[in-house]
Amino acid sequence: MAQKKKKNSAAKGKKKNTKGNASSKLSKADAAAKSGSRSKGTAKKGKNSKSGAKRSASAPKKTSAAAAKKQTSAKNTIPDKSKKTTAAKKAVISIVVIAAAVTLGILTRIYLKNAFYYKDHFFEGTVINGTDCSLMTVEEAEQTIQNTLSDYTFTFTDHEGRSSTVTAPEICVTYTDDGEVDQLMETQEYLKWAFRENDREVYNVTSGYTYSKDALDAWISALPCLNDGVPPTDAYLHEKEDTFWEIIPETYGDQLDPEIVRASITQAVDEGRPSSDLADLDCFYKPSVYSDDAELVAFVETTNAEIERQIRRNAIIEDITDVELLFSSYADKVYLNQELLKGMLEDDENGDPVISKDMVTAWVRKWAEDRGFVNETNLFVTHGGKLVYVGYGPYGGWSLDVDATAERTYEAVVNKENGVLFPVTVDGEGNRQKDSSYVEINILKQTMWYYKDGKQLVETPVVTGDPTKGMDTPTDGVWAIYQKSMYYTLRGPRYSDGTYEYITPVDYWMPFNGQIGIHDMQTRTEFGGQIYMGSGSHGCVNTPYENAEIIYQNAYVGTPVVIHS
């Protein structure tokens, strides 16, 4: 011990001597530097001195070897500031590099230590089948999972908020080690423990324990939500009162599909989840047909379009057939009405219904043929439009122009000229009756008309022959005015004594059938009506004066006189 102390004190002494030597060396160097400085100062001073300059100029400068050596030594001992700064910087950099390397090494050691810890320990926040397995080994995690299985419960909440719970014993839950937890550990990237995206890792292994499927199915089947609810209805077609169609939308109801619910609950139990909620499921029965179904939409659009088209078509038909024409003849009366016209339609270029001219022509022709009018030459169209037979006179009547009558009928239908249809009749030369000049007398109506070139000049009441006395005016024939006389005296049959049954002077006399003719009758104050029955003429046509005058002034000899009853 004493020896050790001696050695130490010797060493200390040696160190002190070393220090002393260094101090003395530094003192010598300082002294030399100071001496050099003074020499320099002296030299400088002498250089500036005039006398010194002169001396220097006159005598050569002599420097001894010792003096030169001192000067060199003094130069070398002057400190260089830039060299000192560079050395200091290098020292700082070296210190920083060494400190960084040491720190990196320490951090790397810490990181690797934690990484190797997580090689067989689960990360913080790891949850397996609902059990927190943070920082546990596989064995510890499996044991913890096994311990929690006996307390496992599963709760299901339906769409009405009703909750139903089943426990582990009720479905016979048993833990089995199938390597799932080991697999999770193997896939854990322990070297990336500090770079995890989530602080919580949740795993639901699909095995690791078993349970009774039958028991779970029985529990699911008894859930209240699977035994009530309103089923959905499909969208369907409905015909409205206005005959248009519409789509009645589907309804969803609230009846659950048990297979979807069963699959969802089974998956949740397989994964060890503690609960599930219908809010997370799309498990209601759905309609199979929706209101936007292509077939339904197409049917409604097509059908309604057709109905609209038909309504429009029907409106057109109702309008264009709203006509009633009377075909009056001595044979019968026939009406060409809406019911018949609806069968005489065709479509125009736009697809709209129009009256078919060909069909109208065919109908008129059949009407004429069925009544024997086609080849008849003793026809006449009365003032009222009736086609009558006038074949009992000396002259022929007119023939029916079927095509012209059909044309006139078509025009009347198209123009909706309701009323009597006047057939078109022509004479043997093709001249139309309505453009001719003639006298017409209607015995029943006791009326006479006169037409000149188709224009009516006279319509007047008359008194014809008295049928009650056997003096009827001949009827249903065509005669012609064969004489025109003014201021003529009419005489009846002559008695044996030379007198006459009657003597009647007239101003206008126009005979057409022997002594039967048209004349004025100034002794009558009334004409027409039923006067002819009992107070009629002897067969002539008694006419008011002014009308007899018009006829006399315009008619020509040969003017037809048509009489009908």
Side-chain angles (χ1 to χ4, degrees):
M1 194 70 176
Q3 287 177 353
K4 205 170 193 180
K5 282 181 181 178
K6 283 181 183 178
K7 281 183 182 179
N8 287 338
S9 48
K12 283 179 183 176
K14 198 170 186 180
K15 281 180 184 176
K16 280 180 183 178
N17 291 333
T18 307
K19 262 186 177 181
N21 291 333
S23 300
S24 62
K25 284 182 181 179
L26 185 59
S27 299
K28 288 180 181 178
D30 289 341
K34 285 176 183 178
S35 172
S37 296
R38 280 197 299 268
S39 300
K40 266 187 177 182
T42 307
K44 197 172 182 182
K45 200 174 179 182
K47 193 176 183 181
N48 290 336
S49 171
K50 285 184 180 180
S51 58
K54 287 178 181 179
R55 284 195 296 269
S56 297
S58 59
K61 190 176 179 181
K62 292 181 180 179
T63 305
S64 64
K69 191 175 182 182
K70 278 184 180 180
Q71 285 178 1
T72 303
S73 177
K75 282 181 184 178
N76 290 338
T77 56
I78 294 172
D80 190 338
K81 289 183 179 179
S82 62
K83 287 183 179 180
K84 284 184 179 181
T85 302
T86 302
K89 285 182 179 179
K90 288 181 178 180
V92 171
I93 292 171
S94 298
I95 292 169
V96 171
V97 171
I98 293 169
V102 171
T103 302
L104 180 60
I106 293 170
L107 293 176
T108 301
R109 182 177 179 184
I110 294 171
Y111 186 87
L112 292 175
K113 180 180 179 182
N114 287 340
F116 284 108
Y117 175 80
Y118 286 121
K119 186 176 182 181
D120 53 12
H121 289 77
F122 286 109
F123 289 143
E124 181 75 28
T126 300
V127 177
I128 303 174
N129 282 1
T131 301
D132 187 358
C133 297
S134 300
L135 307 179
M136 293 184 185
T137 63
V138 170
E139 293 75 15
E140 291 170 342
E142 287 179 340
Q143 185 61 49
T144 302
I145 294 170
Q146 185 174 358
N147 291 340
T148 57
L149 277 177
S150 60
D151 299 327
Y152 176 74
T153 60
F154 176 79
T155 300
F156 175 75
T157 303
D158 66 21
H159 59 293
E160 294 184 358
R162 295 174 294 188
S163 296
S164 300
T165 301
V166 65
T167 64
E170 289 176 320
I171 57 175
C172 307
V173 176
T174 304
Y175 180 77
T176 56
D177 183 6
D178 59 355
E180 284 285 336
V181 178
D182 289 279
Q183 183 64 30
L184 291 177
M185 180 60 75
E186 290 177 7
T187 58
Q188 180 173 272
E189 296 180 300
Y190 62 91
L191 289 175
K192 297 180 181 179
W193 65 271
F195 303 99
R196 295 162 60 203
E197 293 183 1
N198 300 313
D199 293 334
R200 182 176 176 82
E201 304 287 342
V202 179
Y203 301 100
N204 291 310
V205 296
T206 56
S207 59
Y209 63 90
T210 60
Y211 61 89
S212 171
K213 298 284 188 184
D214 293 338
L216 182 62
D217 285 346
W219 178 79
I220 294 172
S221 298
L223 290 172
C225 61
L226 295 183
N227 295 284
D228 57 15
V230 177
T233 61
D234 291 343
Y236 63 93
L237 295 170
H238 173 254
E239 186 176 9
K240 299 189 292 184
E241 291 182 1
D242 59 1
T243 72
F244 282 93
W245 288 82
E246 64 180 345
I247 299 174
I248 303 300
E250 68 283 355
T251 61
Y252 285 84
D254 60 353
Q255 191 177 58
L256 298 172
D257 185 338
E259 295 309 314
I260 296 177
V261 175
R262 190 182 308 279
S264 174
I265 292 175
T266 300
Q267 181 180 354
V269 173
D270 284 345
E271 295 174 354
R273 284 186 274 148
S275 64
S276 69
D277 194 322
L278 269 184
D280 302 328
L281 298 178
D282 183 14
C283 58
F284 292 98
Y285 274 122
K286 296 181 178 61
S288 57
V289 181
Y290 294 86
S291 56
D292 60 353
D293 179 80
E295 290 186 8
L296 295 186
V297 172
F299 176 86
V300 169
E301 290 179 351
T302 302
T303 305
N304 286 348
E306 177 59 26
I307 291 172
E308 287 179 355
R309 189 191 72 80
Q310 194 60 48
I311 289 174
R312 178 177 175 276
R313 182 182 180 85
N314 290 342
I316 294 174
I317 291 174
E318 289 296 318
D319 179 58
I320 64 177
T321 60
D322 187 19
V323 183
E324 186 173 80
L325 297 177
L326 171 61
F327 284 72
S328 179
S329 71
Y330 63 87
D332 57 12
K333 289 182 177 181
V334 176
Y335 288 92
L336 178 59
N337 54 23
Q338 191 171 55
E339 183 179 356
L340 291 173
L341 289 171
K342 284 182 178 179
M344 302 180 189
L345 301 174
E346 62 185 5
D347 289 346
D348 62 12
E349 63 276 9
N350 297 320
D352 292 329
V354 293
I355 300 295
S356 170
K357 188 174 183 179
D358 291 341
M359 292 182 184
V360 170
T361 300
W363 184 89
V364 172
R365 181 168 294 280
K366 189 174 188 308
W367 168 79
E369 289 175 349
D370 289 349
R371 290 156 183 80
F373 300 153
V374 175
N375 297 314
E376 183 58 64
T377 58
N378 292 303
L379 300 175
F380 175 78
V381 178
T382 69
H383 175 80
K386 185 175 182 178
L387 187 66
V388 298
Y389 179 79
V390 289
Y392 298 107
Y395 298 97
W398 287 262
S399 300
L400 178 68
D401 187 334
V402 177
D403 290 337
T405 300
E407 180 73 29
R408 177 71 191 97
T409 302
Y410 177 75
E411 290 175 358
V413 170
V414 170
N415 296 324
K416 296 200 285 188
E417 300 174 12
N418 290 294
V420 178
L421 188 286
F422 284 63
V424 178
T425 52
V426 294
D427 61 19
E429 296 178 358
N431 300 312
R432 291 189 177 187
Q433 173 195 322
K434 75 180 187 68
D435 298 327
S436 304
S437 299
Y438 59 89
V439 174
E440 176 187 352
I441 302 169
N442 187 323
I443 299 297
L444 292 178
K445 292 184 177 181
Q446 289 291 286
T447 303
M448 178 171 65
W449 297 268
Y450 171 64
Y451 291 88
K452 183 178 182 180
D453 297 330
K455 183 179 179 181
Q456 178 185 307
L457 298 184
V458 172
E459 179 178 357
T460 180
V462 295
V463 175
T464 60
D466 190 342
T468 65
K469 298 174 183 177
M471 293 182 286
D472 309 55
T473 301
T475 187
D476 296 331
V478 179
W479 290 265
I481 295 174
Y482 64 87
Q483 177 186 339
K484 291 174 62 179
S485 300
M486 292 183 66
Y487 312 117
Y488 189 81
T489 300
L490 301 176
R491 293 180 174 86
R494 187 174 184 178
Y495 295 125
S496 59
D497 60 1
T499 61
Y500 294 90
E501 182 179 345
Y502 62 87
I503 297 176
T504 305
V506 297
D507 287 358
Y508 303 106
W509 168 242
M510 294 165 281
F512 57 82
N513 182 5
Q515 289 303 303
I516 297 174
I518 302 167
H519 61 82
D520 58 288
M521 192 64 179
Q522 298 179 43
T523 59
R524 285 188 183 274
T525 58
E526 293 184 355
F527 296 86
Q530 296 297 308
I531 296 174
Y532 79 109
M533 300 294 288
S535 296
S537 70
H538 294 87
C540 288
V541 181
N542 296 173
T543 307
Y545 186 88
E546 62 275 11
N547 289 320
E549 182 182 25
I550 294 173
I551 295 173
Y552 185 88
Q553 291 174 348
N554 288 278
Y556 57 90
V557 173
T559 298
V561 177
V562 182
I563 304 174
H564 60 85
S565 56

